[in-house]
Amino acid sequence: MSEIYNPQLKLAYEFVENTNKSVFLTGKAGTGKTTFLHELKKCSPKRMIVVAPTGVAAINAGGVTIHSFFQLPFSPFIPNVDGTVINKSFQRKFNRDKIRIIKSLELLVIDEISMVRADMLDAIDNVLRTYKDYSKPFGGIQLLLIGDLHQLSPVIKEDEWSILRNYYETVYFFSSKALKQVNCLNIELQHIYRQSDKEFIEILNKIRDNKIDSDLLKALNKRYIPNFISNDEDGYIILTTHNATAHNVNNNKLKEIKEKSKIFKAEIKNDFPEYAYPTDVELELKVNSQVMFVKNDSSHNKLYYNGKIGKITRFLDDYIYVKCPTDETEIPVGIEEWENVKYTYNDKTKEIKEDVVGSFTQYPLKLAWAITIHKSQGLTFEKAIIDANASFAHGQVYVALSRCKNFEGLVLSTPITFSSVKMDNTIMSFTEDVRNNEPDEDKLVKSKIQYQQELMFDLIDFIKIKISFLYLRKILLQNSNIVDKRNVADFENYEPILQNEIHSISDKFKIQLSQMFVNSNLPELNLSVQERIKKAVIYFIEKLNNLYEFTQNQSIELDNREVRKNINEALERLQKETFIKIACLKACLNGFNTLLYIKSKNDAEVEFKPTLKSNNKIQNVSNSSLYDELKNWRSLIAEENNTDEYMILPRKAMAELIKYLPTSIVELQSIKGIGSKKMQQFGTDIIEIISSYCERNNVDKPKIEIKNKKPKVEKINSKKMSFDLYKSGKTIDEIAIERKMVKSTIEGHLAYFIGIGELSVFEFITKDKVDIIAECFNKLQTKSLTEVFKSLKEKFSYGDLRLVLKHLERNIDN
């Protein structure tokens, strides 16, 4: 980071880049906090996002607002009664891309942290734990908090604080419950770049430190000039406490100018929220207007900066010419563009990417006879008239005074009194603690060593895999009455392998590493440690590959949807933890490297895709494709009837069907699990699917032993009864309800009459749909309803396909 020569800034950079320590970077106004952030964004290899509490602050920091990224409501966040901050009722559903960003995130930067409330920080923790790591504060993500608590404080209404005071000591971010679980390092920048006047710096420091006495006020009020009237040529700006005052001053000053107004309209593209507009959408200006630049010059000339004051001299072509008191020549000002960024995850580079989702294009100017103190935060002025005696918030006077580059450029329109300098004792106490506990180089070295040691222990720690494995085994045992005994046995037999070949060896290796860590040097530079790591990596990769293959080969057959879902989720979790660990181990085959290890871990987190075999498919049997057909048919019927699949046809019955291949009612009655009711409802469908399969595949049917009982003979022909009801004017749905049958069975009955020419397919389906289905049957040269169903991407029901098939068969026969 070439721009860093300040010792505190260098220390902050080292902690951010080479440790996992969270850092609170603070300092007086003008000490380079914003410059540090921009430099960090340019050169840090860590995956980071930048957020800020307000739209303008977010745009200035090159990030997004806290509320938009974390999808937080504006209501107070209430932590759980037990003190934890996981609050599921508060969570918002994130899209896939947002989740991938969080999962791969290493560093979260929050700018202007002084304005962030404690509950908002806990709300952020709530989101990060949910999608990153439940067990760690902020999901284990490193924090960089930037801001000055002596400047603007959080905005909170009395009714909101009446709720939150029951949970928080103060409204400030450092009262966050989650942050108290993080060993956050505090670094205060000392060198002031904005001011060089020693007397002025001393005054500002005393105000900041709440060391206000009569001598200080006397020195400060030397700049109180009653009834001071500035000339526009002097370039003064009025800093006031209220929006209305600033607005009125600017409007009145503009009206006093006799020149003709020119209106410049901003161009807003796509997504750029109104609260983040850096200047007016319709910017009204005149020659001789006093204006302030609201952006740094993006050209190589660097003729202006955010906060520079000047006066418009002329409008020419596409430029506005501005003359500043400190410059000899005019500045030609063209339009500038502000970008609204959105973070996305790039699958190819495995990096978090800033995508521009909107832009605001306008001249980087705004009327500047007056501006609010709140909006002046972060700006620098050569000359300012300050009306701060009516300050209503902590830090306002300090913010206003510290905007000025020197004491002589400062004019007080009202004298500063003890009552107008509002400083919060809580802030003073916290700041004092920050100064007394700042880290040094020794702390940095120890933190680097500790960080690398923790990562190496993490590399050969398999506790997440163990927990996932035991949890899955527990579910299988709890449901052993419906889970195949072979599945339960597989996991019981694999448990001692996991314990003896992975976990026990891991425990021994951790002891060896601990002994090797006795030397107080960086583990990455310890050749003995690196050699031991390489050998361990080779061993564990082989063992985990075996475990991963074992999970991939598991097929747990179940009809119970809820249990099947639970087992799927548990099996997927086990696979994921194994996949991530294998990726981390492979990254260390040539030795341990901190950045490579973290990158591999984060990449694996988002690259993982479960490879679960169907939990409802019978494996290693013949006629498995028939099983798929029956399964698809069963799913469709279950969906049509809003019932569970096993209520239509149990898995065991499907196993019998593909084993014996019944193609008649008499044969179907011999199948276990097919009772008279299912026979009546689904018998026609099942026989048709099996018969079509046998015909297509020229299958030799096994001999079926017919049960010694006479099949029930229907007194009334079931197909004829459905036909008569249809002819009487009833719909298929009405017939199904009346006969207590499923819709597909009635469709099968009526299809028979289409096949013999007593009904027309066009009574049920429009000609264009018939043509589409018929073309698909002919193209595939098949009678398989399942093949056509899939080919047409499930746009038509099995009933529609059956009706058209009978229509086609009749046309072929004729």
Side-chain angles (χ1 to χ4, degrees), residues 190-322:
Q190 301 294 338
H191 183 75
I192 298 173
Y193 296 96
R194 182 176 293 153
Q195 293 94 11
S196 57
D197 183 334
K198 290 184 179 180
E199 181 186 3
F200 189 31
I201 290 173
E202 186 178 354
I203 289 173
L204 292 176
N205 287 344
K206 285 186 177 180
I207 293 174
R208 192 173 190 274
D209 296 340
N210 205 24
K211 295 177 180 178
I212 304 165
D213 54 27
S214 56
D215 289 338
L216 173 75
L217 291 180
K218 184 178 179 181
L220 182 59
N221 284 322
K222 287 179 184 177
R223 299 306 303 160
Y224 166 54
I225 305 175
N227 304 315
F228 177 79
I229 298 175
S230 65
N231 295 318
D232 286 350
E233 290 76 14
D234 296 333
Y236 279 92
I237 185 171
I238 297 172
L239 300 184
T240 184
T241 52
H242 292 79
N243 263 314
T245 304
H247 182 73
N248 289 336
V249 169
N250 286 326
N251 278 350
N252 291 335
K253 283 283 191 179
L254 189 66
K255 288 176 183 177
E256 290 175 7
I257 299 174
K258 303 304 180 184
E259 301 285 342
K260 186 178 179 181
S261 289
K262 288 201 73 172
I263 307 292
F264 301 92
K265 293 186 178 181
E267 181 183 4
I268 302 166
K269 292 182 180 178
N270 302 322
D271 181 13
F272 201 105
E274 186 175 347
Y275 61 77
Y277 291 169
T279 186
D280 297 335
V281 174
E282 292 192 354
L283 185 59
E284 183 180 1
L285 301 173
K286 296 179 181 180
V287 171
N288 293 326
S289 297
Q290 180 162 292
V291 291
M292 178 178 73
F293 288 92
V294 290
K295 198 177 195 293
N296 295 332
D297 187 357
S298 61
S299 75
H300 67 280
N301 297 317
K302 307 301 178 189
L303 297 175
Y304 55 84
Y305 55 84
N306 191 5
K308 189 171 186 177
I309 302 291
K311 187 169 71 171
I312 295 175
T313 56
R314 56 191 171 119
F315 303 106
L316 182 63
D317 298 329
D318 293 330
Y319 288 93
I320 300 173
Y321 285 81
V322 177

Side-chain angles (χ1 to χ4, degrees), residues 302-369:
K302 307 301 178 189
L303 297 175
Y304 55 84
Y305 55 84
N306 191 5
K308 189 171 186 177
I309 302 291
K311 187 169 71 171
I312 295 175
T313 56
R314 56 191 171 119
F315 303 106
L316 182 63
D317 298 329
D318 293 330
Y319 288 93
I320 300 173
Y321 285 81
V322 177
K323 176 68 171 63
C324 299
T326 55
D327 297 337
E328 293 182 3
T329 59
E330 300 168 310
I331 299 173
V333 184
I335 59 172
E336 289 274 4
E337 182 180 71
W338 290 260
E339 294 178 342
N340 183 27
V341 301
K342 178 182 178 182
Y343 293 103
T344 58
Y345 185 82
N346 188 307
D347 285 304
K348 291 182 179 179
T349 64
K350 307 294 186 299
E351 297 293 336
I352 295 173
K353 188 176 69 156
E354 287 184 4
D355 285 337
V356 177
V357 296
S359 64
F360 181 99
T361 304
Q362 177 64 287
Y363 288 92
L365 301 168
K366 70 189 310 180
L367 292 176
W369 287 284

